[in-house]
């Protein structure tokens, strides 16, 4: 725990430390997200989730059904009594009671959580409809997330509703991560009506044999999940900036797991869904076996942040922040699909003409993305390179990018080229100047100059030709982006605004690429790239 001054006893401090240890061990992803919060509220978030974990264990672990019910009833009574008195001797509950007192947590919401847990403890789950499932999601995790509201320095019914919805999304992630274990224990958290409509039983989910029907079942769950994610996303814009990285990280995590279920489909029932973090580490997943050709190098013009923000009724800065997190999601999708090189257009030489306020916000966002994503990208084995001018960027940001290049230089799962203050014509002019200098020095004859000589003087020598260029948000031009490397690229223009671009759109673009025949100006050459290889370093 970071240093926080408590006016109370050493026992209280120890109780908060117990809660943090519990969260770090059993909810590693949540612990990582909490680390992004201001230091003064982190212990209280740990207290809330430590209470959640202990309640869950009390309901689920050890003894007969009757013994578990009796034990949880005692825990519920003890919790509600000590919330009223504002004091507890329990080594973990003490911190939660203190947090509830300091932040005036709604006791009715806490009681709703305990009542939902009691029902779940009493009998195997059986939800007839999606609405029934939503009531469970709300009662288990929606309530816990609603407890965050005062800790996020926010108030009002809109904030409570959005944080509750984010919690429901998180519980859906938990359901899919635990599917095989829960099904084996006779617990199915999916609506029974969804199973019946496809002629499925819980036994079919356990066996995983009826693939087509199971795929359809997963598809229905994903559509609902997608809708909840879209509804929950505005939660980021209703809290102060200090709390936004925490919420964005949770949304990103849910989106990444959504993408993973979209890949697994029916296999999720038998293989399960690996958590994004375990013991504070991010697992590397091997590339997904893709049936068609996979481009070796994909370049993306990330367009549409401002229009997306306008449609959301949010300031431009929120659009850029949503775009920054979409870039992280794209990296994960590229890794999962076996792409080896990815280049993204983060800031062009022409973007300097934007209003100064927007520029400041944009660079703040990029700097924040570097700070928050560097460890995750490094753990995934991503090598990062900066392509662009290096003389006009703020020195602190330039130093951060340079350090990132050095830190990840030996990674080989994916090469990510980030184009910042980049313009294709400027790059070619600089390369021509370098060649002219060599000619003037007598180290190179003009008649000996070839394509390789120009290529070695580009911003990133050795950057392979682009196989597929994707531009989002419907515009159909290359906007001075990598003109040398794009000479024979296939072009795909997707109408999706950048913040909404994800694995599904990337797969669609790759499918379009795989269906094209690439002649390179000569005889017929198939568009087939190399077969997908597992990410090295796994």
């Amino acid at each position: 725990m970071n240093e926080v001054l408590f006016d109370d006893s050493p026992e209280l401090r120890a109780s908060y430390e117990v809660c943090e240890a519990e969260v770090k061990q059993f909810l590693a992803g949540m612990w990582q997200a909490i680390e992004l919060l201001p230091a003064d509220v982190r212990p209280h978030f740990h207290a809330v989730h430590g209470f959640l974990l202990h309640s869950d264990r009390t309901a689920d672990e050890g003894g007969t059904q009757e013994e578990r019910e009796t034990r949880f009833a005692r825990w519920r009574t003890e919790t509600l009594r000590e919330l009223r008195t504002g004091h507890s001797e329990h080594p973990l509950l003490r911190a939660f009671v203190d947090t509830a007192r300091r932040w005036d947590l709604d006791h009715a919401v806490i009681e709703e959580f305990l009542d939902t847990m009691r029902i779940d403890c009493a009998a195997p789950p059986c939800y007839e409809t999606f609405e029934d499932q939503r009531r469970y999601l709300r009662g288990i995790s929606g309530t816990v997330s609603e407890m965050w509201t005062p800790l996020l320095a926010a108030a009002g019914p809109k904030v409570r509703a959005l944080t509750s919805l984010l919690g429901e999304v998180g519980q859906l992630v938990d359901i899919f991560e635990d599917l095989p274990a829960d099904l084996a224990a006779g617990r199915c958290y999916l609506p029974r009506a969804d199973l019946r409509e496809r002629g499925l039983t819980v036994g079919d989910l356990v066996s995983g044999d009826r693939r087509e029907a199971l795929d359809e079942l997963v598809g229905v769950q994903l559509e609902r999940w997608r809708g909840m994610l879209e509804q929950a996303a505005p939660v980021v814009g209703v809290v102060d900036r200090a709390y936004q990285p925490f919420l964005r990280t949770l949304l990103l995590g849910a989106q990444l797991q959504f993408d993973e279920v979209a890949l697994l489909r029916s296999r999720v029932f038998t293989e399960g869904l690996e958590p994004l973090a375990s013991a504070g580490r991010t697992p590397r997943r091997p590339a997904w076996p893709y049936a068609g050709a996979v481009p070796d190098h994909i370049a993306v013009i990330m367009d549409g942040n401002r229009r997306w923000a306008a449609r959301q009724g949010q300031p431009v800065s929120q659009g850029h922040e949503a775009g920054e997190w979409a870039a992280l999601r794209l990296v994960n999708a590229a890794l999962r699909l076996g792409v080896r090189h990815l280049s993204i257009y983060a800031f062009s030489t022409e973007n300097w003409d934007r209003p100064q306020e927007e520029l400041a916000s944009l660079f703040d966002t990029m700097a924040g993305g570097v700070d928050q994503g560097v460890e995750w990208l490094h753990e995934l084995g991503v090598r990062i390179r900066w392509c662009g001018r290096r003389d006009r960027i703020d020195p602190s940001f330039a130093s951060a990018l340079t350090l990132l290049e050095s830190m990840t230089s030996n990674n080989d799962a994916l090469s990510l080229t980030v184009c910042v203050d980049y313009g294709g014509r400027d790059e070619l002019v600089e390369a021509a100047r370098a060649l002219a200098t060599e000619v003037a020095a007598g180290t190179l004859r003009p008649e000996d100059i070839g394509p390789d000589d120009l290529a070695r003087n580009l911003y990133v020598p050795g950057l392979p030709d682009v196989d597929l260029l994707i531009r989002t948000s419907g515009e159909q031009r290359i906007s001075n982006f990598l003109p040398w490397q794009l000479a024979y690229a296939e072009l795909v223009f997707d109408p999706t605004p950048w913040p909404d671009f994800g694995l599904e759109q990337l797969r669609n673009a790759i499918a379009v690429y795989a269906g094209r025949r690439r002649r390179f100006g000569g005889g017929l050459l198939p568009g087939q790239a190399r077969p997908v290889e597992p990410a090295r370093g796994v």
Side-chain angles (χ1 to χ4, degrees), residues 1 6 16 19-20 22-24 27 30-31 33-53 95-96 99-100 103 105 144-154 163 166 239 242-243 246-247 250:
M1 179 188 298
F6 293 108
Y16 275 102
C19 290
E20 179 175 1
E22 288 275 303
V23 176
K24 189 171 184 179
L27 286 177
M30 178 59 69
W31 182 85
I34 291 173
E35 285 292 289
L36 300 174
L37 286 163
D40 60 334
V41 298
R42 290 178 205 162
H44 304 292
F45 272 88
H46 291 313
V48 169
H49 288 277
F51 168 69
L52 161 68
L53 286 166
F96 178 68
T99 289
W103 294 91
L105 301 191
V144 172
S145 298
E146 188 174 328
M147 295 178 208
W148 300 343
T149 307
L151 307 181
L152 295 170
T163 53
L166 181 57
V239 300
Y243 306 96
F246 165 74
L247 296 174
L250 297 181

Side-chain angles (χ1 to χ4, degrees), residues 46-109:
H46 291 313
V48 169
H49 288 277
F51 168 69
L52 161 68
L53 286 166
H54 191 84
S55 298
D56 186 57
R57 280 203 301 276
T58 302
D60 287 349
E61 294 181 3
T64 64
Q65 178 74 33
E66 182 179 355
E67 288 170 339
R68 291 196 299 272
E69 289 183 57
T70 301
R71 186 173 63 235
F72 189 81
R74 286 198 302 267
W75 172 251
R76 177 184 179 277
T77 300
E78 179 184 1
T79 299
L80 296 178
R81 181 183 66 246
E82 296 185 351
L83 283 170
R84 288 192 297 271
T85 63
H87 180 73
S88 176
E89 294 299 325
H90 189 282
L92 185 146
L93 187 57
R94 181 187 292 118
F96 178 68
V97 169
D98 181 70
T99 289
R101 175 179 60 84
R102 291 175 188 255
W103 294 91
D104 194 24
L105 301 191
D106 189 338
H107 288 197
V109 173

Side-chain angles (χ1 to χ4, degrees), residues 487-505:
Y488 288 101
E490 297 295 322
L491 311 181
V492 171
F493 301 105
D494 190 306
T496 307
W498 174 245
D500 292 334
F501 191 92
L503 181 137
E504 179 183 355
Q505 290 77 17

Side-chain angles (χ1 to χ4, degrees), residues 404-434:
L404 193 54
E405 286 186 297
S406 175
M407 173 182 173
T408 63
S409 60
N410 292 323
N411 293 342
D412 61 4
L414 172 73
S415 180
L416 172 64
T417 303
V418 183
C419 297
V420 179
D421 198 9
Y422 175 84
R425 288 181 173 177
D426 278 4
E427 180 179 36
L428 294 176
V429 167
E430 288 297 318
R433 285 174 179 159

Side-chain angles (χ1 to χ4, degrees), residues 26-30 169-184 187 189-190 225 250 252-258 260-261 264 267-278 281 283 285:
F26 298 108
L27 286 177
M30 178 59 69
V169 169
Q171 189 62 28
L172 269 179
V173 173
D174 186 68
I175 285 174
F176 277 96
E177 288 180 349
D178 296 340
L179 260 179
D182 281 337
L183 290 172
R187 305 177 70 83
Y189 289 92
L190 302 184
W225 188 349
L250 297 181
L252 175 64
Q255 289 169 329
L256 295 183
Q257 293 297 68
F258 173 95
E260 198 64 21
V261 175
L264 286 166
R267 291 169 57 177
V268 73
F269 294 109
T270 53
E271 296 181 16
L273 183 64
E274 187 177 12
L276 279 174
S278 178
R281 301 291 297 174
R285 293 163 168 164

Side-chain angles (χ1 to χ4, degrees), residues 263 283-288 328-340 342 376-377 379-383 412-415 503 506 532-536:
L263 288 172
R284 292 195 198 178
R285 293 163 168 164
W288 188 260
L328 294 177
R329 187 180 177 193
L330 176 73
V331 171
N332 185 75
L335 280 165
R336 299 299 288 120
L337 296 177
V339 176
R340 301 299 302 171
L342 178 66
W376 180 66
L377 293 172
E379 288 179 355
L380 290 177
V382 176
R383 179 189 181 189
D412 61 4
L414 172 73
S415 180
L503 181 137
L506 182 62
V532 176
E533 302 171 358
R536 285 176 286 176

Side-chain angles (χ1 to χ4, degrees), residues 130 133 172 176 189-191 194-195 198 216-226 258 261 269:
F130 177 53
Q133 185 192 42
L172 269 179
F176 277 96
Y189 289 92
L190 302 184
D194 292 347
L195 274 67
R198 287 148 193 89
E216 185 181 333
L217 176 65
V218 173
V220 171
Q221 312 311 310
L222 286 172
E223 279 303 305
R224 293 173 181 157
W225 188 349
R226 186 200 314 276
F258 173 95
V261 175
F269 294 109

